[in-house]
Each structure stands twice: as C-alpha cells, then as structure tokens.
Amino acid sequence: MLEWFAHLNAMQQALLATLFTWGMTAAGASVVFLFRELDRRLLDSALGFAAGVMLAASFWSLLAPSISMSADMGMIEWVPPLIGFIAGAAAMRLADWLLPHLHPFAPDSAAEGVKTGWRRTALLVLAITLHNIPEGLAVGVAFGAVQAGEGSASFGAAIALAIGIGLQNFPEGTAVAVPLRREGLSRVRAFYYGQMSAWVEPFAAVLGAAAVVLMRPILPYALAFAAGAMIFVVVEEVVPESQTGGHPDVATSGAIAGFAVMMVLDVALG
C-alpha cells in the first residue's frame, strides 16, 4: 500500500493525505454521537496538543527544509525562509481581518472579520476552516517538495506531517461539533458542521503541491509560507482557546506532548 502511494504524483499524494486529515476531523466531530458535552479539561488538553503538533511541524517539516533548500540552491539561506514566513503570517492576518468568523467557546460579541449577520454556526465553522487552510497547504507543499527532487525533502517526512496534522485535526473537529451540540443543534447537524470545517484542506494541498512542482524556485518560500501561516494560527487562535477554559497547566502539558509526538514522527520517518 505504501509503495503504491509512493508512486503517485505529488498532487495525488497530497489529495489522499488530506482526505485522511479530513477524515480525522470527521472522527473528532463524531464524538457528538456519544456525548452532548465533554469535560473542558479534556478539550483544553486536546487543543494544547494540536498547538504543539503545529509548532513542531512548522519547524521540523517546513522551516528546516526551507533553510536547507535555500542553501542548496545557492541563495542566502535565511532570506527565502524569512520572506516566506512573514508572507504566510501576513496572508493569514489579512484573511483573519476580512473573513467573518467566531472562535469556539467565544461569545457572539467576539466575532472577528467583516461585520455580518451570519448565524453563529456559520461563523464557528469559518473559524476552523480558516485554521485548516495552512494545514492543507503545508501537506501539499511537503509532497510537492519530494517530487521536485530536493534532497532535504523526504517522502517519510511528508507522511509524518500528514499523520501529525491528522492527529491534531481530531480535537479540532470535536472543538467545533461539541459546542454546536451544546447550543441545541442535532447530533447529525453538529457532526456535519464539525467535519465540514476541514473541507478546504484537500483543495489547499493540491494547490500547494501543484505550485511547487510547476515552479521549483518558489519551493523554499512556499515551505516557509506554510510555516508562517501555521504559527500565526497557533498563536492567534489555538493557544488562546486552549488557555481560556480554566485549565492552563493541562493545556500546556498537552502542547508539550503534541510537540514531542510530532518531533518524533518527523525524525523517525524523515
């Protein structure tokens, strides 16, 4: 199975990998079929774990290869990573400013982006959708880098990144679906909206893979762009959400565990 997957082109690999990550979001959202509510301590720990995974993936799977590739291409090794990183964060800041959204557990008055009359459900889903764009992009760029033949990019590292993103998507699906269920939506509707938050990942992944395969010189910039976007999301959304439930130590422990798991995955499989 793995050998068959390895012989697919980068866009096919990215699509299948992000269908897996989407499935993990759906699995997390399916918790609403078992529980109407979850202990906030558990959710904070899970969100902290997601933050740790994303931070580790940003360095081990994206920034470090970007630095190595820049040197291999004869560039000043810190320039492409710096430009890409800042551009990725700036792009997410612009999207955060424009796109109407509401973070889980936040009151309606805390809605961000352009003012709109959209329902709370739509705003919650959009918040996690915005969160998932850089994750899908990161997976796509990672597989694209392998096909582009860059020595510092490995198939194992791309697989590790997809597994890590999938692991942290589980609590994200739960973090969307459970609040919606608590607010009175049926289990089916809460699950539907929870899993729908990750629909954007396959599109972003295929786009990222295609871009780096077709335009190889942008590869170190693209890797750093995905890293900047992910770290923006971690600092602006995931960490604050994990820390506002009254269990900061639990959330921090989850973050440490997530970072450690992703680091081990990347080093062991890369």
Side-chain angles (χ1 to χ4, degrees):
M1 184 67 164
L2 192 59
E3 184 177 348
W4 167 81
F5 184 74
H7 284 88
L8 298 176
N9 66 48
M11 286 174 283
Q12 292 171 325
Q13 291 171 340
L15 176 61
L16 291 177
T18 46
L19 288 176
F20 160 72
T21 63
W22 186 357
M24 290 296 289
T25 304
S30 69
V31 168
V32 295
F33 291 109
L34 302 175
F35 306 100
R36 184 183 181 90
E37 292 194 39
L38 284 180
D39 187 334
R40 184 59 195 269
R41 183 186 298 269
L42 181 60
L43 281 175
D44 288 346
S45 175
L47 285 169
F49 181 88
V53 167
M54 292 175 74
L55 284 173
S58 295
F59 176 74
W60 294 99
S61 300
L62 300 170
L63 279 176
S66 173
I67 294 168
S68 296
M69 288 175 194
S70 298
D72 293 343
M73 292 179 177
M75 306 175 186
I76 301 174
E77 61 183 10
W78 56 267
V79 171
L82 176 64
I83 293 173
F85 184 83
I86 293 175
M92 290 306 298
R93 177 65 187 95
L94 180 62
D96 189 65
W97 179 61
L98 292 175
L99 184 68
H101 62 284
L102 178 67
H103 301 306
F105 315 114
D108 292 349
S109 60
E112 300 179 29
V114 175
K115 298 300 180 185
T116 178
W118 293 351
R119 296 178 61 183
R120 179 179 175 87
T121 300
L123 295 175
L124 285 168
V125 172
L126 281 172
I128 304 299
T129 300
L130 177 64
H131 182 160
N132 284 334
I133 291 173
E135 296 172 6
L137 181 63
V139 172
V141 170
F143 281 107
V146 177
Q147 183 169 318
E150 290 301 328
S152 52
S154 73
F155 180 67
I159 291 288
L161 178 61
I163 293 172
I165 296 296
L167 288 175
Q168 62 94 39
N169 272 6
F170 187 96
E172 288 179 2
T174 304
V176 176
V178 168
L180 292 177
R181 174 62 178 151
R182 189 173 59 244
E183 291 176 15
L185 269 69
S186 69
R187 288 185 174 88
V188 172
R189 290 187 66 197
F191 166 77
Y192 172 76
Y193 287 121
Q195 62 80 33
M196 193 174 71
S197 63
W199 69 268
V200 72
E201 286 192 5
F203 294 97
V206 171
L207 178 63
V212 298
V213 168
L214 296 175
M215 295 176 285
R216 183 173 172 273
I218 73 165
L219 187 48
Y221 297 93
L223 287 165
F225 183 96
M230 284 225 292
I231 289 182
F232 179 92
V233 168
V234 171
V235 176
E236 204 272 339
E237 297 180 20
V238 185
V239 169
E241 287 169 16
S242 73
Q243 295 285 326
T244 56
H247 310 102
D249 292 340
V250 172
T252 302
S253 297
I256 297 298
F259 191 100
V261 167
M262 187 64 224
M263 179 174 63
V264 169
L265 279 173
D266 194 275
V267 174
L269 297 180

